[in-house]
Amino acid sequence: MSEAMIIRGGHILDMASGTDTVGDLRIEDGRISGIGHVDLSGASDVIDAAGKYVVPGLIDFHVHAFEGGSMFGCDTDMEIPSGVTTAVDAGTTGCAAYESMHSLIHSRKMRIFSLLNISSMGQLGKGFNENMDPELVQAEKITELVKKYPDEIRGIKVRISRNIVGSWGDVPLRKAIETAGKLGLPVCVHSTDPCIPMEDVACILRKGDILCHVFHGLGSTILDEAGHVKAGLRKAHDRGVLMDAANGRNNFAFGVAREALAQSFLPDIISTDLTAATMSQGKTVRNLLFVMSKYLNMGMSIAEVVERTTAVPARAIGLTDGSGSLAAGGRADVAVLDLIDQECDFADSKKEILHGTKMLTCLMTVQNGQILYDSNQLAHA
Ligand SMILES: [Zn+2]
């Protein structure tokens, strides 16, 4: 019999299966083999999780992972001590440099998926925006890469800020949707200071597409002049367009987020938009737990926040191996978290500060049944 690990007596939150209960988790051969009252025999590790939250390994749906190939690129393994087991690179690379990105992905412990930039050059860094001439989109090369790496490339990314698309307007967005449509992939749209009104962007998107930076505060936002969430955004959401509150330094404003939450317009996904400049530093992003804590301090529940960093992002990129869930038989990606009383300041793109009193911390990260991080030596043979 193979050796098993038991995580005992934790508060299990698995929103994919609607599990919100105190119980045990049994892990064997990289899989969840039991949940609730589990068989304790043959366990090599018994981890006491009493008073802690046991959740699926977190999925950071928007990061910039192309370290060395883009000035935005960061070492996503640095998020492992934050309970993150899976990250999605949001268009740092286009097809020109994708083979390098592919090699880098396989040198990391973090499991990384990609949203391929519609622009061949991808996002090189601050001050070097990608060329958005739709005539330069290399659909054949994109198709070739998607067919070569179907388990890795899960969508197409396009940025439509006014300073990026210039006179092309919404043509690149339509081109991205057309290209992704032929490949059966979703489109993820960077929407800060959009070239057309936010409601028009939302209206163009299809079910399963992702509108990222949904709480940005530059140019046209999701709010009308009276501060109400625009009807077009609600309609798109009802159709199945996913709203991703990818944070970043410049893509999140408390003024927008607070109004939206007060009007029950919650994000579907919460992610960081981490870059080399924000990884583990500053008051805007730091890591996924920091961004999740921001929403707890704005009044969302831990179950709501966990769902948006596990079950929903797993669905958004079509993960079918049990990622984002703790259901028996699925892949054993698990995080043990604690919610502590801690004063903390959170900043937004307009330098507004939220004084928080709650902070999520991570005690253990398990990926595919292996302990990658154990802050307090919880595990013992
Ligand atoms: Zn980004």
Side-chain angles (χ1 to χ4, degrees):
M1 202 176 108
S2 61
E3 291 187 338
M5 183 197 311
I6 313 278
I7 300 177
R8 285 210 78 177
H11 183 157
I12 300 173
L13 278 179
D14 172 19
M15 307 323 289
S17 65
T19 306
D20 183 346
T21 184
V22 173
D24 310 330
L25 203 65
R26 182 180 174 100
I27 297 169
E28 266 164 299
D29 297 327
R31 304 259 134 207
I32 309 282
S33 59
I35 182 167
H37 293 290
V38 307
D39 170 17
L40 301 176
S41 63
S44 57
D45 267 328
V46 178
I47 291 143
D48 178 11
K52 315 300 178 198
Y53 290 97
V54 178
V55 307
L58 302 177
I59 301 173
D60 194 343
F61 191 77
H62 190 131
V63 301
H64 291 281
F66 194 32
E67 192 183 32
S70 161
M71 288 188 281
F72 291 136
C74 58
D75 179 358
T76 45
D77 282 1
M78 287 173 71
E79 271 208 292
I80 289 170
S82 303
V84 180
T85 52
T86 301
V88 180
D89 181 84
T92 322
T93 44
C95 54
Y98 196 77
E99 294 292 349
S100 297
M101 178 66 168
H102 169 74
S103 304
L104 182 132
I105 283 175
H106 291 277
S107 72
R108 300 296 197 209
K109 287 181 181 164
M110 179 74 66
R111 192 162 63 139
I112 302 173
F113 295 95
S114 284
L115 307 175
L116 190 66
N117 203 300
I118 189 71
S119 172
S120 300
M121 65 189 276
Q123 297 174 219
L124 294 179
K126 204 174 173 207
F128 294 92
N129 290 335
E130 58 273 32
N131 188 321
M132 297 307 293
D133 183 345
E135 291 295 316
L136 298 181
V137 169
Q138 294 174 293
E140 264 179 40
K141 184 69 185 162
I142 291 171
T143 304
E144 187 189 312
L145 283 170
V146 169
K147 288 196 170 145
K148 190 171 176 186
Y149 302 121
D151 295 335
E152 204 168 288
I153 301 174
R154 296 300 178 115
I156 300 293
K157 169 86 183 291
V158 61
R159 296 204 299 171
I160 61 159
S161 303
R162 286 188 304 149
N163 68 328
I164 297 173
V165 295
S167 59
W168 297 115
D170 65 358
V171 179
L173 171 59
R174 293 179 187 278
K175 185 79 185 173
I177 291 172
E178 179 197 322
T179 308
K182 287 178 184 160
L183 295 165
L185 292 175
V187 163
C188 176
V189 186
H190 167 106
S191 65
T192 304
D193 193 16
C195 59
I196 55 174
M198 275 296 263
E199 58 274 33
D200 294 353
V201 180
C203 174
I204 294 172
L205 295 179
R206 309 157 303 165
K207 179 181 182 186
D209 287 338
I210 302 112
L211 182 62
C212 75
H213 313 314
V214 65
F215 295 153
H216 79 77
L218 290 174
S220 175
T221 74
I222 61 168
L223 304 180
D224 65 17
E225 281 173 10
H228 298 125
V229 175
K230 293 169 178 171
L233 269 297
R234 289 196 187 273
K235 265 188 211 153
H237 188 248
D238 291 346
R239 280 192 295 115
V241 174
L242 295 169
M243 306 294 161
D244 177 10
N247 200 110
R249 268 189 304 188
N250 302 311
N251 303 318
F252 173 86
F254 281 119
V256 176
R258 216 178 276 120
E259 284 293 343
L261 299 189
Q263 295 167 45
S264 303
F265 191 74
L266 274 55
D268 295 298
I269 298 172
I270 294 171
S271 63
T272 59
D273 195 4
L274 265 173
T275 64
T278 52
M279 175 65 88
S280 306
Q281 56 188 307
K283 293 179 179 173
T284 55
V285 185
R286 299 186 70 85
N287 58 55
L288 188 55
L289 289 180
F290 185 83
V291 177
M292 290 165 77
S293 301
K294 188 179 302 186
Y295 287 87
L296 295 178
N297 283 290
M298 284 193 287
M300 280 174 68
S301 71
I302 186 161
E304 288 173 331
V305 168
V306 165
E307 183 174 24
R308 285 152 177 82
T309 48
T310 55
V312 183
R315 257 196 331 264
I317 52 166
L319 299 182
T320 55
D321 57 0
S323 303
S325 164
L326 295 174
R331 184 183 157 98
D333 288 353
V334 184
V336 180
L337 306 180
D338 200 5
L339 181 58
I340 61 171
D341 294 328
Q342 183 182 305
E343 306 259 331
C344 184
D345 283 351
F346 301 91
D348 72 357
S349 61
K350 298 179 188 279
K351 304 213 165 22
E352 186 184 332
I353 299 284
L354 169 73
H355 299 289
T357 56
K358 293 182 262 198
M359 181 63 70
L360 278 169
T361 63
C362 175
L363 300 174
M364 179 174 275
T365 308
V366 176
Q367 187 197 57
N368 212 12
Q370 303 296 315
I371 296 172
L372 294 190
Y373 175 73
D374 179 3
S375 71
N376 260 343
Q377 295 181 307
L378 295 178
H380 43 80

